[in-house]
Amino acid sequence: AAPSQHRMWPLAAWAGLGLAQCSGRRGQRRVECVVFNEEYMTCMWGSRETLMANYSLYYWYENRSPVVECKHYLQDRGISVGCHFNQSEIIQFEPFHVLVNASLGGKTLEIPSKRMELQDLVKPEAPVNLTIRNMSNNQLQLTWTSLYPRPQCLEHAIKYKSNKDTSWTEHQVKGDVFSFPSVDYEKYYTFYVRSKINSYCGTTQLWSEWSVPVVWGSNSTSKGTAEEPLHWFWIHTVLIPIVSCLLLLVLVVLLVRMERVWVILMPRIPNPSKNFDDLFITHKGNFQEWAGVPKDVMESFKPNYSENICYVSELPPKDSYEPLWEGSNHPPSLMPGALAAPREHSPYKNSYVGV
Amino acid sequence: LSHEKWTVRMRFTFFRSIFRVLPLLLVLSPVNSSSCAMGNKTTEIRAKYEHILSHDVNELVNMSAEYRDRCCKNKKHENSKVFFCNDTQEIESLQSMACNMLRFFHKQKISKDFRWKAALVSCGTLQVLQCKCERHKKEKVCIQINTHTKEDTESSEQFKKKCNQEFCELKENISSLRSCWNKFEKMISR
């Protein structure tokens, strides 16, 4: 049993290694190299959790030096997971090749890599010394320092947010200055910057880490966190309107109940009926009586009213003068047109009544 | 020896020595002297590259990536030396790459759009660096590029050529040219 088990062990190990490689190929296991700020480089091929064998790395530059083994392996709990390259071992703009050998039980498998150009694998250091200056017209100017040896080969990205914003805003700049156009002095701003090799000096998508942030503005709340705007939103849009409506309702109810206040706000329409109580009650609607109209005037308005006629005649100047008839209550009745022809039977011949 | 014989001998010796020096001077003189007029004007070259030429280079690289290149893997080219961007000789390397790239302009196996764009970038590189090619015939291509407009006789989708050796070589040339420009930019940005 023991010899058979001994024979089975390499087979099992190779089966495991083969499975690991197969799963690696299916999962596209490959060597990933990154040049950090052109100071050193690491080429990683996995982690302790996924690796089982002993690994060794060989590299060479096309048409240059011979194949060289890694001088400084990166270990993770006894397993090689990567290789560290010094600055002197990094040559840009030369095709770079890497070959990783996985050995287990005396057998070796190769993990090839694609041809690489190291200038396209540069990851610069994050910018430092972020500084904000107040400029005119409510502008802010953000500046920083790059630790990368060739700052002209960099492009940058700025990320900022105020304490009243819910998401970050990002801008791309080519120089090392960013102007923030209009700032609100009641807000609290936070700025981050990161860098990347620009397209003139390489072809890479490796951004640096975000810098240490710089802040600006009034910090009236204890901490300008993202949840605070949400809190204020609920207060402003829900609580305050409801309280206002309730308060208004209470005031209206009070107004209606307190007649003294209500009368001032809503004065009553004047009712002059009291002034006419004497007319309607004492005189029983007799307006003339109430107004004090004289009786003879009232009589004159009657339709069967008749008035005594007073005769008037004119005495000729040459004829004898006869005494005037004065205020007689019994003058003879005068018919229309009777003045033109004096009556023979009238004792008052050619007489007139003076006024 | 008499004085006259000594004098004659010295004359022969003198001329022999001169004649030996002359071939030596010819050997030592730089055969491939740079024919680029913008050698020291790195600021001006940089401005022209960044503002104008880099866009065409990027377009050419993107165009190159669209074509099938399965036949190009693991192939070594005869003119591999042309694809080197030598240290401290970036301008000369760019000149060599640009001049080499012009010869693909008449290769019928390569898509016309692609050939035309490659020639445009080559001529642009030579113009920015103010370089001439050793074989002056190649510069006739630039005259044709500058004076004639390309006739749209084919669409790039319909007439994409099959992968072939010449295409692979042109693709490598383009990659090296772009890489050499990057190296030049990095070198002058210190």
Side-chain angles (χ1 to χ4, degrees), chain A residues 224-242:
Chain A
T225 60
E227 287 79 21
E228 205 167 315
L230 199 63
H231 211 59
W232 277 109
F233 172 76
W234 282 109
I235 291 171
H236 282 133
T237 58
V238 176
L239 191 62
I240 290 177
I242 290 175

Side-chain angles (χ1 to χ4, degrees), chain B residues 18-152:
Chain B
I18 294 298
F19 282 128
R20 278 177 194 165
V21 170
L22 277 176
L24 189 63
L25 286 173
L26 284 172
V27 168
L28 290 177
S29 65
V31 175
N32 294 326
S33 60
S34 173
S35 53
C36 298
M38 293 283 281
N40 294 328
K41 300 177 185 177
T42 54
T43 306
E44 198 172 331
I45 294 172
R46 182 183 179 185
K48 287 181 179 179
Y49 172 72
E50 290 185 4
H51 295 145
I52 304 170
L53 188 60
S54 65
H55 305 289
D56 289 317
V57 171
N58 288 334
E59 282 180 6
L60 181 62
V61 170
N62 292 337
M63 196 184 278
S64 173
E66 291 176 358
Y67 291 91
R68 289 184 288 268
D69 62 349
R70 275 197 172 182
C71 72
C72 301
K73 293 179 182 178
N74 301 324
K75 274 194 174 179
K76 290 186 179 179
H77 306 291
E78 293 177 358
N79 293 333
S80 59
K81 291 182 180 178
V82 178
F83 306 135
F84 282 148
C85 190
N86 297 321
D87 293 342
T88 68
Q89 293 182 339
E90 289 82 9
I91 291 179
E92 289 77 11
S93 300
L94 284 167
Q95 175 193 17
S96 174
M97 291 176 189
C99 290
N100 185 68
M101 217 154 80
L102 283 175
R103 65 185 179 88
F104 294 97
F105 184 70
H106 298 291
K107 302 290 183 183
Q108 299 300 318
K109 287 186 179 179
I110 300 175
S111 164
K112 188 172 183 181
D113 291 342
F114 193 36
R115 284 186 279 132
W116 198 276
K117 190 69 175 179
L120 189 73
V121 170
S122 297
C123 297
T125 299
L126 294 171
Q127 190 175 358
V128 167
L129 300 175
Q130 291 189 11
C131 297
K132 293 180 182 179
C133 296
E134 289 178 1
R135 295 182 184 181
H136 296 289
K137 288 182 183 179
K138 292 184 179 177
E139 292 162 345
K140 288 182 181 178
V141 172
C142 295
I143 296 170
Q144 185 178 350
I145 293 283
N146 290 329
T147 54
H148 290 81
T149 54
K150 180 176 67 66
E151 294 174 1
D152 293 328

Side-chain angles (χ1 to χ4, degrees), chain A residues 308-347:
Chain A
N308 294 328
I309 298 173
C310 182
Y311 289 96
V312 177
S313 63
E314 183 178 353
L315 295 175
K318 292 181 180 179
D319 294 337
S320 60
Y321 179 78
E322 290 186 1
L324 296 171
W325 180 264
E326 296 179 3
S328 172
N329 288 329
H330 301 286
S333 59
L334 180 66
M335 298 303 289
L339 283 174
R343 297 172 185 175
E344 294 181 353
H345 62 276
S346 174

Side-chain angles (χ1 to χ4, degrees), chain A residues 227-299:
Chain A
E227 287 79 21
E228 205 167 315
L230 199 63
H231 211 59
W232 277 109
F233 172 76
W234 282 109
I235 291 171
H236 282 133
T237 58
V238 176
L239 191 62
I240 290 177
I242 290 175
V243 168
S244 303
C245 286
L246 287 173
L247 199 63
L248 197 63
L249 195 63
V250 166
L251 283 173
V252 168
V253 167
L254 285 175
L255 279 170
V256 170
R257 301 281 291 177
M258 289 178 67
E259 194 174 349
R260 286 178 294 176
V261 179
W262 183 255
V263 164
I264 293 169
L265 292 176
M266 300 289 288
R268 293 178 181 174
I269 299 172
N271 188 3
S273 62
K274 287 182 179 178
N275 297 333
F276 295 93
D277 284 345
D278 199 23
L279 170 63
F280 294 107
I281 297 171
T282 308
H283 299 280
K284 298 180 181 177
N286 189 337
F287 179 80
Q288 294 86 348
E289 189 180 325
W290 174 74
V293 177
K295 283 188 178 177
D296 55 347
V297 175
M298 285 177 62
E299 289 292 328

